Amino acid sequence: MDREEYVEAVLRAVESIPEGRVSTYGDIAAYVGQGGPRQVGAVMREYGGGVPWWRVIRASGVPADEVGDEQLQLLRGDGVRITDGKVNLRAVRWDPDE
DNA sequence: AACCTGACGGTAT
DNA sequence: CATACCGCCAGGT
């Protein structure tokens, strides 16, 4: 899998996250089956436009500093409940094989 | 090839 | 809960 295919695979995975659900960098990486959380983050930084990037968050439920507040707002727009500045992943974490 | 970098994650303190 | 550390892994210099 070359880099371009990798980027496509990651973007497809992110596009498949339904409104109201959230995934993590690590989960996306595992689903794609290549690279790690940091690679997924790198793809989002460069090609995140065009896909629902705000549905990808750290495993802790706290957004990356770069996008912080905006991400939380967009998630609220999706109907995701935010508590103390973080997402409750136990409630909305998305499993691709669902 | 060596070294730095980082939209990360898990563990320890 | 906050910080520190270390492991990870690919891209850039």
Side-chain angles (χ1 to χ4, degrees):
Chain A
M1 184 185 275
D2 63 25
R3 170 138 176 104
E4 185 183 337
E5 294 173 315
Y6 181 69
V7 169
E8 292 303 313
V10 168
L11 295 181
R12 275 198 302 280
V14 174
E15 281 175 333
S16 69
I17 306 170
E19 181 176 333
R21 308 296 298 284
V22 177
S23 188
T24 71
Y25 298 97
D27 285 356
I28 297 293
Y31 178 69
V32 169
Q34 187 86 200
R38 309 189 90 125
Q39 280 60 238
V40 172
V43 170
M44 297 309 283
R45 189 182 62 235
E46 295 187 63
Y47 312 97
V51 298
W53 58 266
W54 61 92
R55 296 178 187 154
V56 183
I57 200 169
R58 286 180 182 148
S60 61
V62 176
D65 307 319
E66 291 84 338
V67 286
D69 302 306
E70 184 187 2
Q71 178 160 25
L72 294 178
Q73 293 309 321
L74 288 163
L75 284 173
R76 281 195 189 90
D78 277 358
V80 175
R81 173 136 58 178
I82 310 298
T83 308
D84 296 323
K86 73 176 190 182
V87 171
N88 182 335
L89 283 170
R90 296 226 270 201
V92 300
R93 192 172 198 148
W94 182 63
D95 173 9
D97 306 312
E98 184 175 337

Coordinates of all heavy atoms in Angstrom, one line a residue, chain A residues 3-13 15 43:
Chain A
R3 N 1.6 5.5 -0.3 CA 1.1 6.6 0.5 C -0.3 7.0 0.1 O -1.1 7.3 0.9 CB 2.1 7.7 0.5 CG 1.5 9.0 1.2 CD 2.5 9.7 2.0 NE 1.9 10.9 2.6 CZ 1.5 11.1 3.8 NH1 1.5 10.1 4.6 NH2 1.0 12.2 4.2
E4 N -0.4 7.2 -1.2 CA -1.7 7.7 -1.8 C -2.8 6.7 -1.4 O -3.9 7.2 -0.9 CB -1.6 7.8 -3.3 CG -2.9 8.4 -3.8 CD -2.9 8.5 -5.4 OE1 -1.8 8.5 -5.9 OE2 -4.0 8.6 -6.0
E5 N -2.6 5.4 -1.5 CA -3.7 4.5 -1.1 C -4.0 4.6 0.4 O -5.1 4.5 0.8 CB -3.2 3.1 -1.5 CG -3.0 2.8 -2.9 CD -2.4 1.4 -3.2 OE1 -1.4 1.1 -2.5 OE2 -3.0 0.7 -4.1
Y6 N -2.9 4.8 1.1 CA -3.1 4.9 2.6 C -4.0 6.1 2.9 O -4.9 6.0 3.7 CB -1.7 5.1 3.2 CG -1.8 5.2 4.7 CD1 -2.2 4.1 5.5 CD2 -1.6 6.4 5.4 CE1 -2.3 4.1 6.9 CE2 -1.7 6.5 6.8 CZ -2.1 5.3 7.5 OH -2.2 5.4 8.9
V7 N -3.6 7.2 2.3 CA -4.4 8.4 2.5 C -5.9 8.2 2.2 O -6.8 8.5 2.9 CB -3.9 9.6 1.7 CG1 -4.9 10.8 1.8 CG2 -2.5 10.0 2.2
E8 N -6.1 7.6 1.0 CA -7.5 7.3 0.6 C -8.2 6.4 1.6 O -9.4 6.6 2.0 CB -7.5 6.6 -0.8 CG -7.0 7.5 -1.9 CD -7.8 8.8 -2.0 OE1 -9.1 8.6 -2.0 OE2 -7.3 9.9 -2.1
A9 N -7.5 5.4 2.1 CA -8.1 4.4 3.0 C -8.5 5.1 4.3 O -9.6 4.9 4.9 CB -7.1 3.3 3.3
V10 N -7.6 6.0 4.8 CA -7.9 6.7 6.0 C -9.1 7.6 5.8 O -10.1 7.7 6.6 CB -6.7 7.6 6.5 CG1 -7.1 8.5 7.6 CG2 -5.6 6.7 6.9
L11 N -9.2 8.4 4.7 CA -10.3 9.3 4.4 C -11.6 8.5 4.3 O -12.6 9.0 4.8 CB -10.0 10.1 3.2 CG -8.8 11.0 3.3 CD1 -8.6 11.8 2.0 CD2 -9.0 12.0 4.5
R12 N -11.5 7.4 3.7 CA -12.8 6.6 3.5 C -13.3 6.1 4.9 O -14.5 6.2 5.2 CB -12.5 5.3 2.7 CG -12.6 5.5 1.2 CD -12.8 4.2 0.5 NE -11.7 3.3 0.7 CZ -10.6 3.3 0.1 NH1 -10.3 4.3 -0.8 NH2 -9.6 2.4 0.3
A13 N -12.3 5.7 5.8 CA -12.7 5.3 7.1 C -13.4 6.4 7.9 O -14.4 6.3 8.5 CB -11.5 4.8 7.9
E15 N -14.9 9.0 6.6 CA -16.2 9.3 6.0 C -17.3 8.4 6.5 O -18.5 8.7 6.5 CB -16.1 9.3 4.5 CG -15.5 10.5 3.9 CD -15.3 10.3 2.3 OE1 -15.1 9.1 1.9 OE2 -15.2 11.3 1.7
V43 N -2.5 12.6 8.3 CA -3.4 12.6 7.1 C -4.5 13.7 7.4 O -4.8 14.4 6.5 CB -4.0 11.2 6.9 CG1 -5.1 11.3 5.9 CG2 -3.0 10.2 6.4

